[in-house]
Amino acid sequence: MSLILSAVAALAAICLVAGAILGYAAVRFRVEGDPIVEQINDLLPQTQCGQCGYPGCKPYAEAIANGDKINKCPPGGQATVQALANLLDVEAEPLDAPEGEKPRMVAYIREAECIGCTKCLQACPVDAIVGAAKQMHTVIKDECTGCDLCVEPCPVDCIDMLVVGTSVQNWKWELPLPPGQLIATDREQAA
Amino acid sequence: MSAETKIWDFPGGIHPPQRKDLSNRTPIQQPPLSRRLTVPLSQHIGATAEPCVTVGERVLKGQKIAAGSGFVSVPVHAPTSGSVAFIGPQPYPHTSGMLSPAIVIDTDGLDEWCALAPCADFRSLEPLALLDRIRDAGISGLGGAGFPTAVKLTARPQQKIHTLVINGTECEPYITADDLLMREKATELMVGIDILAKLIEPAEVLIGIEDNKPEAIAALRAALGERTYQLRVFPAKYPSGGEKQLIQILTGREVPSGGLPADIGILCQNVGTAVAVHDAVVLGKPLIARITTLTGEALARPMNVEALLGTPVADLLAFAGLDAQKMDRLIMGGPMMGFTLPALEVPLVKTTNCLLAATRAELPPPPPALPCIRCGECALVCPASLLPQQLHFFALGAEHEQLKAYNLFDCIECGACAYVCPSTIPLVQYYRAAKADIRELEQKHQKAEHSRQRFELREERLRREEERKEEERKARAERAARAKAAPTEAAAGPGTPAAPAANEEFKRLKIEASMAQVALKKAEKQLAQHDTAALHAQVAELRAALEAAQQALAGAQADAAQSAAPPVADDAALKKAKIDAAMLRVQIRKLEKLEAPDDEQQAELTSLRERLAAVERTLAAAPSNVPAPAPRPAGEEALKKAKIDLAMKRGELKKAEKAGADEAELTRLRDALAGAEQALHAAEDASGKPAPQLVRTDKRPIDETTRTLKTTVAFARADLRKLERDANAEPAALAAARERLAEAEQKLAEQQRP
């Protein structure tokens, strides 16, 4: 009998100690905010373009965490949809964009036509346009995310969105065609 | 000297047919000057050089035509004299066949040098001056990668280089450029190594060379002389010329994964680079030419040439007797690591060590790839001890995490695995593609992170700006109200300054209350949308603030109703009101800083704030006369006001004492009381002459001594009372206190008597 009692007591003691540790840990290592939102936000391209219908990438990340669809990010493209699907363990859907996936763009101001209204400066979410009132503006190419937001407010339509093409510097090798996918005559050519 | 010194081996490696005797039987030749040279601006790793000449300008041989932009960049020099014909995109030796910015020079055939600055005694130069010379000469690694040499040589304080390795290995088949260079320029090479050694000050210098170049070895031995450099000869094996492999052969040490040789205190330089360093420092000549192997069975006279950079490949091949019919493909570099050139118009660049014009029989096109049979040959020959077939499958499936886990980035793309693959799978292409994909994704991620930071900083900036504007707006409104109040007051005369000021106060409170309400509503709306703890806390705080504001408003209303509005002088009152507001704000901010205050705390804080607000408000009205002891208001008026002041202060103090307010608060109130008392005294003094009917006027103004004495008496009396009240007070102390009181009283009486 005493054996049983001591066993129960020992178990109870262990429970109490473990409970205390867990309780302490829950307070001490409490995670502020929703970590999944941060993870989703990390996968988004951070163009802050608002094409998803939310005012920036973070709000969209929050919306996704609350159950919104994962295919509303055109700048991220299918790769982002896939990454989000992997993270959230859901089915990857085709990208929901009218023009499909777009190549990476960068804004370009035709400086001769710029009247210096500063409207694009205010629209740029990442401060990638420099200029002052009645002074010519220009885009810092390396900071531009290609979000498009500066194009619409321009009163003289002097902003173009240019495709960032490949150059010798950023050209990359393509994966070879996997073996066994060509008919014999094409193999000769592919080689 | 060193053949018997120990050498090590690296894992794997292959022994392809060397075919070096094709091109190493003739001395280095000088090809004829081409009519037009195309000098690309980016022949190195790093930022593209910036052109510093204009179209039509005449340039001299060796003149700088493009300056390095940034730290990892090198300048470009004119290879010969002539005029600049074009600056812009031109063909470039690259697999993609894409154009790259270049400067095109129409040569004039004079080959006229610009002024050079030779330096016969490089030992007299400071290391920094040496580095500058190397950088200005546009030297980038001539082994193949083309990394700016000056950057590589720049001392890193945390990494002491103890071993300088000079790479004369040249392990790739067909290529003999370094072989011929060592044979013909051994002396220059040794001086170049001297310069590098002076710069780095290594403990030892190792020259690595494969045993298939006996003439070069003999030439180096002869040139070594008294130098202590160790010439190490080792058996030929591909890819022993790889930087990491050579280091392993010579020192037995492995460069850590993802690291640089500098991490283990070793620096590796190509023999060609060492000669270029010699030319730059001793002769003052920039890097405008290099030794290149022209080889392959499609050439009638395979050879090595010292060609000007920018010379079209077609011209060089023609010089070597190209049979265009026989040539199947043209490779830049060797057959293992080189790439097929898309066109013949491309120029010679700093990294072109070989042009291989191969016939179809010589380098037959690879047969179509077959599925991997998992034979494991590739793993046996991999010099980096990787698992090529695993990498192949991961690359096929784009499994980037796995690729990184299997150290894809330690692959040197030597091609040994593809060479031995029985299924002829183009393994290296898989690795290159996978590497490019991973790099691109990483860059994208970095860019996204950067953009996110910029976005957040911008949001923060906008928020601060908005806050500042709001504050300014408030200040403006206050100023306007004051300006409006001032004329009314003037009209009302000095006798009734209280009413408009009170009105003002009332208005302010009203605005504050409504603002608090709006803020609360906003926060509540947000709370409804995003339910977070922080928002909860914020809403609670705002609610409390609103309550406080409303309470203050109600108090003000009551005051107004009693029409016992405290006498407020406009300016001082407004100042006070401002301080009030600021203090309230500080309090609120403090509250905001509190993380998640519980209800009790909240209530306590609220009540505290209410009390504070009330006290502050009344205070705001009261001590307006303290700084200016009433010369303006008529004496009677002032006196009355001062008296009321004093009474109010006393009442407040008592109230606070009763309420058990904290010590600081009490002290503050006591100080205010003392101030009011003083003000009263001043008012009494001031009103003494113009208002003789006042009761106190016949009294002489109390002089300083009397006042002090009076105070002493009061204190003594208070002490005594305290002691009397105390049941267990010591009799001695009691007696002493009594004595002190008596003494003080006597003194006061003496003072007042005459």
Side-chain angles (χ1 to χ4, degrees):
Chain A
M1 194 60 199
S2 71
L3 201 68
I4 293 171
L5 278 180
S6 63
V8 167
L11 276 177
I14 291 172
C15 285
L16 281 175
V17 170
I21 292 172
L22 284 175
Y24 173 74
V27 176
R28 176 73 181 71
F29 302 110
R30 203 173 137 204
V31 178
E32 290 293 331
D34 194 352
I36 195 74
V37 171
E38 282 307 317
Q39 286 178 32
I40 296 171
N41 199 26
D42 267 354
L43 292 178
L44 295 175
Q46 305 296 331
T47 49
Q48 319 292 351
C49 63
Q51 290 178 56
C52 51
Y54 294 91
C57 292
K58 186 83 181 281
Y60 181 42
E62 279 161 6
I64 290 177
N66 289 330
D68 200 348
K69 290 206 166 183
I70 59 171
N71 62 351
K72 293 184 175 177
C73 180
Q78 197 60 44
T80 299
V81 176
Q82 190 59 52
L84 287 172
N86 288 345
L87 173 70
L88 303 170
D89 202 14
V90 294
E91 200 68 34
E93 298 157 75
L95 184 69
D96 178 20
E99 289 127 51
E101 216 162 314
K102 275 198 282 183
R104 202 168 96 67
M105 309 280 251
V106 66
Y108 172 75
I109 295 179
R110 291 197 300 279
E111 290 164 358
E113 292 166 44
C114 175
I115 55 168
C117 69
T118 75
K119 285 205 166 94
C120 54
L121 262 71
Q122 291 151 31
C124 181
V126 290
D127 285 333
I129 307 180
V130 285
K134 303 214 172 163
Q135 305 285 324
M136 179 193 81
H137 305 340
T138 198
V139 176
I140 309 172
K141 211 166 64 180
D142 290 347
E143 306 290 359
C144 177
T145 63
C147 69
D148 245 27
L149 292 178
C150 52
V151 174
E152 200 266 318
C154 181
V156 290
D157 281 337
C158 72
I159 303 181
D160 291 329
M161 295 307 292
L162 305 180
V163 176
V164 181
T166 44
S167 68
V168 171
Q169 268 77 28
N170 62 11
W171 178 87
K172 56 179 191 142
W173 287 85
E174 289 297 320
L175 274 182
L177 288 162
Q181 289 206 348
L182 298 177
I183 56 170
T185 47
D186 281 354
R187 273 184 203 160
E188 202 86 358
Q189 286 172 12
Chain B
M1 202 170 305
S2 52
E4 59 278 356
T5 336
K6 183 165 167 50
I7 53 158
W8 284 260
D9 194 12
F10 64 90
I14 52 173
H15 295 276
Q18 294 186 345
R19 316 283 330 253
K20 286 185 189 264
D21 46 2
L22 214 61
S23 56
N24 67 2
R25 300 183 172 188
T26 48
I28 298 171
Q29 318 267 315
Q30 300 289 334
L33 187 63
S34 292
R35 204 177 50 76
R36 185 168 251 214
L37 300 181
T38 307
V39 191
L41 294 173
S42 183
Q43 306 179 32
H44 52 266
I45 291 177
T48 306
E50 293 284 334
C52 53
V53 289
T54 50
V55 176
E57 193 176 326
R58 178 156 198 273
V59 292
L60 296 175
K61 184 173 185 164
Q63 182 186 335
K64 192 191 276 188
I65 52 174
S69 56
F71 182 61
V72 184
S73 186
V74 291
V76 176
H77 301 80
T80 185
S81 59
S83 60
V84 177
F86 177 73
I87 299 174
Q90 285 289 306
Y92 182 80
H94 192 262
T95 329
S96 63
M98 272 189 278
L99 306 182
S100 174
I103 295 176
V104 180
I105 296 172
D106 277 335
T107 58
D108 58 9
L110 300 172
D111 219 21
E112 191 183 333
W113 275 99
C114 67
L116 296 180
C119 174
D121 181 20
F122 69 86
R123 287 179 201 283
S124 61
L125 288 175
E126 288 293 305
L128 275 180
L130 279 176
L131 266 183
D132 276 347
R133 273 177 167 254
I134 292 170
R135 183 179 295 118
D136 288 344
I139 299 175
S140 57
L142 296 179
F147 190 78
T149 302
V151 178
K152 206 169 167 180
L153 291 174
T154 304
R156 295 173 192 79
Q158 70 276 23
Q159 288 164 336
K160 175 75 189 105
I161 303 293
H162 53 71
T163 305
L164 173 65
V165 171
I166 300 297
N167 189 349
T169 316
E170 201 164 49
C171 60
E172 197 156 345
Y174 283 98
I175 310 176
T176 55
D178 287 349
D179 184 5
L180 267 287
L181 175 120
M182 286 187 282
R183 286 188 209 178
E184 297 193 10
K185 297 195 172 187
T187 331
E188 288 95 327
L189 172 61
M190 284 305 155
V191 177
I193 298 173
D194 289 343
I195 297 169
L196 293 175
K198 175 175 160 54
L199 261 175
I200 306 167
E201 296 174 341
E204 57 176 348
V205 177
L206 308 175
I207 305 171
I209 185 163
E210 275 187 343
D211 61 2
N212 58 1
K213 304 177 191 59
E215 294 97 332
I217 295 167
L220 289 190
R221 282 246 160 85
L224 261 178
E226 296 297 304
R227 295 180 176 89
T228 55
Y229 309 151
Q230 297 175 41
L231 185 69
R232 295 211 175 156
V233 181
F234 47 88
K237 176 163 91 167
Y238 181 81
S240 55
E243 191 175 58
K244 294 174 182 177
Q245 282 66 39
L246 180 61
I247 287 170
Q248 202 171 355
I249 289 171
L250 296 183
T251 67
R253 302 183 64 186
E254 255 188 279
V255 177
S257 172
L260 291 171
D263 295 340
I264 52 170
I266 295 173
L267 191 84
C268 200
Q269 291 288 355
N270 182 263
V271 284
T273 315
V275 172
V277 167
H278 161 269
D279 289 353
V281 174
V282 178
L283 309 178
K285 285 184 184 174
L287 180 61
I288 52 166
R290 71 155 295 146
I291 294 167
T292 300
T293 306
L294 307 176
T295 187
E297 285 175 1
L299 298 182
R301 299 177 295 279
M303 60 167 110
N304 277 283
V305 289
E306 183 162 18
L308 296 178
L309 300 177
T311 308
V313 163
D315 290 8
L316 291 174
L317 293 179
F319 177 62
L322 171 71
D323 184 345
Q325 300 299 313
K326 274 164 78 182
M327 186 175 74
D328 179 51
R329 54 181 168 150
L330 176 63
I331 294 171
M332 186 178 125
M336 301 298 296
M337 293 184 73
F339 56 90
T340 306
L341 285 179
L344 283 181
E345 301 89 70
V346 298
L348 184 87
V349 294
K350 289 175 185 174
T351 50
T352 313
N353 53 0
C354 179
L355 291 168
L356 172 56
T359 60
R360 199 176 174 89
E362 198 177 3
L363 290 178
L370 297 168
C372 174
I373 57 169
R374 298 253 189 202
C375 65
E377 279 296 314
C378 48
L380 288 178
V381 299
C382 180
S385 307
L386 302 178
L387 296 174
Q389 51 170 303
Q390 287 307 104
L391 291 173
H392 161 60
F393 288 117
F394 292 140
L396 261 180
E399 293 177 53
H400 294 163
E401 289 310 312
Q402 287 284 33
L403 284 169
K404 279 191 249 177
Y406 278 75
N407 299 312
L408 171 66
F409 282 89
D410 283 340
C411 170
I412 59 166
E413 302 174 18
C414 67
C417 49
Y419 181 79
V420 298
C421 182
S423 295
T424 61
I425 300 170
L427 289 163
V428 178
Q429 196 181 339
Y430 281 101
Y431 308 149
R432 283 177 175 162
K435 278 182 182 176
D437 272 344
I438 293 174
R439 283 207 191 98
E440 195 191 17
L441 276 179
E442 269 169 11
Q443 262 168 17
K444 259 190 192 162
H445 194 257
Q446 260 175 19
K447 165 119 182 152
E449 188 56 30
H450 183 70
S451 305
R452 190 178 60 79
Q453 271 175 13
R454 282 181 76 88
F455 177 65
E456 278 168 8
L457 286 175
R458 179 187 146 91
E459 294 284 285
E460 172 68 14
R461 195 193 74 220
L462 290 182
R463 196 185 56 73
R464 272 203 315 269
E465 226 159 74
E466 193 52 45
E467 251 174 34
R468 191 179 54 77
K469 269 188 196 157
E470 185 58 39
E471 246 158 62
E472 266 174 20
R473 208 171 293 140
K474 243 192 239 166
R476 244 196 336 269
E478 239 163 63
R479 257 204 315 277
R482 203 182 337 155
K484 217 167 102 189
T488 342
E489 199 183 307
T496 53
N503 236 346
E504 185 63 49
E505 179 84 353
F506 187 44
K507 222 184 248 168
R508 188 181 63 77
L509 284 170
K510 221 175 184 176
I511 291 169
E512 254 178 18
S514 63
M515 261 172 56
Q517 197 150 15
V518 169
L520 178 62
K521 259 186 199 158
K522 239 189 222 167
E524 268 172 348
K525 218 182 268 172
Q526 258 196 327
L527 183 63
Q529 273 175 4
H530 321 282
D531 192 359
T532 67
L535 273 174
H536 266 298
Q538 207 185 341
V539 166
E541 273 157 29
L542 282 170
R543 200 167 285 150
L546 174 63
E547 267 168 68
Q550 275 171 343
Q551 204 110 15
L553 181 63
Q557 267 170 327
D559 278 5
Q562 282 165 10
S563 75
V568 184
D570 54 345
D571 240 341
L574 269 168
K575 213 182 265 172
K576 266 284 165 194
K578 265 190 209 162
I579 293 167
D580 250 8
M583 276 176 78
L584 257 174
R585 237 172 272 140
V586 168
Q587 281 259 330
I588 286 164
R589 220 162 280 159
K590 244 187 225 163
L591 270 170
E592 276 169 358
K593 260 181 219 155
L594 265 182
E595 275 175 34
D598 54 321
D599 288 0
E600 207 175 316
Q601 245 175 330
Q602 198 62 251
E604 194 186 315
L605 286 166
T606 316
S607 71
L608 192 82
R609 185 153 356 96
E610 272 164 34
R611 215 164 49 216
L612 189 77
V615 167
E616 298 276 276
R617 190 166 43 74
T618 34
L619 253 184
S624 51
N625 281 346
V626 177
R632 251 177 306 151
E636 208 175 330
E637 217 30 87
L639 196 58
K640 212 186 257 172
K641 208 188 275 173
K643 270 184 188 165
I644 293 168
D645 246 16
L646 186 63
M648 269 175 62
K649 285 273 156 42
R650 203 172 286 141
E652 244 166 50
L653 179 60
K654 268 195 193 140
K655 211 158 77 187
E657 267 171 347
K658 241 184 250 167
D662 61 308
E663 197 51 43
E665 181 77 1
L666 283 178
T667 322
R668 199 174 55 74
L669 285 172
R670 269 192 208 115
D671 286 350
L673 183 60
E677 209 165 353
Q678 221 137 41
L680 180 60
H681 286 313
E684 277 172 352
D685 290 352
S687 64
K689 272 159 226 163
Q693 78 272 24
L694 267 179
V695 192
R696 289 184 71 174
T697 41
D698 56 341
K699 235 172 152 188
R700 263 165 288 111
I702 301 171
D703 62 34
E704 205 53 43
T705 343
T706 321
R707 197 173 295 153
T708 336
L709 283 171
K710 268 187 175 168
T711 320
T712 325
V713 170
F715 270 124
R717 198 173 289 144
D719 278 351
L720 180 61
R721 289 236 174 96
K722 215 180 189 175
L723 280 169
E724 276 173 352
R725 265 206 301 279
D726 198 347
N728 44 6
E730 278 181 47
L734 206 61
R738 271 202 195 108
E739 203 170 312
R740 222 177 87 216
L741 176 63
E743 200 179 336
E745 274 175 339
Q746 196 177 349
K747 265 190 191 156
L748 180 64
E750 271 170 23
Q751 175 75 19
Q752 281 175 332
R753 203 174 302 140

